[in-house]
Amino acid sequence: VLYHVYIHTGDLEQADTDSAVYLCIYGKRGDSGLRLLHKTGIPVTFQRGMVSVSAVEAVSLGKLQKVLLHCEASTKSQHWYCDKVIVREAESNSEYVFNCERWLPFVSQGIIHSEIELYPQEFKKNQQLKMQEANAYGENKASGPIILGSGKQQLFNPNSEDTFKINLRDLGQLYKIRIGHDNTGNDPSWYLEEVRLERVVPLSYEEICLPIESWLSEDKDEGDTWREVAIRNPAEELLP
């Protein structure tokens, strides 16, 4: 069976890559094996805001269940932002959308991970995976929802720290963040100790530490799965 693979690279600064990218497609009947979609050192295939099309020939996998996306860091391009992966089966004309919306490689619990498992949208609904999300609010505008990860990505484990690199347009002076989750999954309660924001721009560095130290849970503490946290501006009074 011929599978057409559409890789969407995010429209973010430095989102493109010339690193090696591999994909493995998993279905009810088996998997395709890890396939090389792009070699290191050849002209950039995964360009900012563009869609890269590849063909993967494999045995009929049946209904697709997940894909494994693997990106190896290189000296030229250390990170790649993948927006989503779409797989279409030529014969049955069926289409599967796997949202990614994150950088690869990424750091979790101090370990660099070069690969991630992605699940189709309908599968996510059936499995009820807990999704963490954040918003940042500035004087100029708000960031909009930022998906930080789902329960299938092995993030937000006990006694752990997860790091995300997020490119945002200039929001101006930040005055608050909003962070929480959708309260799905078998054990959705989440104890959040701290959020640390680091603004990394040339010739400048700013760090904001926001202690949370509370449960984001419907049955603990304030009984809410969301928190809004004000960011202190030394020139103004703290927001209520």
Side-chain angles (χ1 to χ4, degrees):
V1 171
L2 192 63
Y3 294 94
H4 296 288
V5 178
Y6 302 82
I7 307 284
H8 292 245
T9 297
D11 190 14
L12 300 174
E13 188 178 344
Q14 298 179 336
D16 54 353
T17 187
D18 61 0
S19 300
V21 174
Y22 298 81
L23 183 76
C24 183
I25 305 171
Y26 293 83
K28 280 193 171 181
R29 299 182 190 143
D31 65 82
S32 66
L34 206 57
R35 304 294 183 93
L36 178 64
L37 301 183
H38 178 259
K39 291 182 180 179
T40 302
I42 64 173
V44 177
T45 302
F46 302 105
Q47 297 182 358
R48 173 180 175 176
M50 302 291 284
V51 181
S52 174
V53 184
S54 303
V56 174
E57 195 172 0
V59 297
S60 178
L61 301 173
K63 186 175 181 180
L64 301 190
Q65 296 178 330
K66 67 178 179 179
V67 296
L68 176 71
L69 192 60
H70 179 104
C71 178
E72 295 182 354
S74 72
T75 53
K76 290 184 180 179
S77 177
Q78 289 297 323
H79 296 278
W80 166 52
Y81 189 90
C82 178
D83 191 34
K84 61 185 173 182
V85 177
I86 297 177
V87 180
R88 292 181 186 150
E89 186 180 328
E91 288 185 7
S92 65
N93 204 28
S94 54
E95 180 180 284
Y96 300 82
V97 179
F98 303 87
N99 285 327
C100 183
E101 298 175 336
R102 72 175 304 159
W103 295 90
L104 280 172
F106 63 94
V107 178
S108 177
Q109 300 180 55
I111 301 171
I112 298 175
H113 298 265
S114 298
E115 58 188 34
I116 188 171
E117 290 183 346
L118 307 176
Y119 292 79
Q121 290 176 332
E122 59 179 278
F123 191 81
K124 271 187 181 175
K125 290 175 185 175
N126 293 340
Q127 295 296 313
Q128 293 220 315
L129 304 179
K130 184 166 110 178
M131 187 75 74
Q132 270 87 353
E133 188 177 295
N135 302 67
Y137 298 82
E139 291 174 330
N140 297 342
K141 61 185 75 174
S143 66
I146 301 165
I147 304 297
L148 298 180
S150 73
K152 281 291 182 181
Q153 294 166 325
Q154 301 302 310
L155 300 171
F156 311 109
N157 293 312
N159 299 314
S160 67
E161 177 181 289
D162 294 288
T163 305
F164 304 89
K165 181 180 178 183
I166 300 166
N167 280 351
L168 298 174
R169 290 168 292 180
D170 186 17
L171 306 180
Q173 180 75 37
L174 294 180
Y175 64 85
K176 75 173 179 179
I177 66 165
R178 184 173 187 265
I179 188 165
H181 60 84
D182 60 8
N183 203 47
T184 56
N186 296 328
D187 186 15
S189 296
W190 180 34
Y191 186 85
L192 181 57
E193 185 172 306
E194 180 187 71
V195 176
R196 189 167 65 248
L197 307 176
E198 297 176 1
R199 184 197 293 268
V200 184
V201 294
L203 305 177
S204 176
Y205 179 83
E206 179 187 1
E207 182 178 86
I208 301 171
C209 291
L210 303 173
I212 312 294
E213 297 176 350
S214 63
W215 285 95
L216 277 64
S217 168
E218 287 190 344
D219 54 7
K220 297 176 182 176
D221 283 356
E222 297 179 13
D224 198 346
T225 59
W226 290 87
R227 287 288 184 280
E228 289 199 353
V229 186
I231 298 173
R232 181 176 291 278
N233 182 349
E236 298 177 8
E237 290 187 13
L238 189 65
L239 289 171

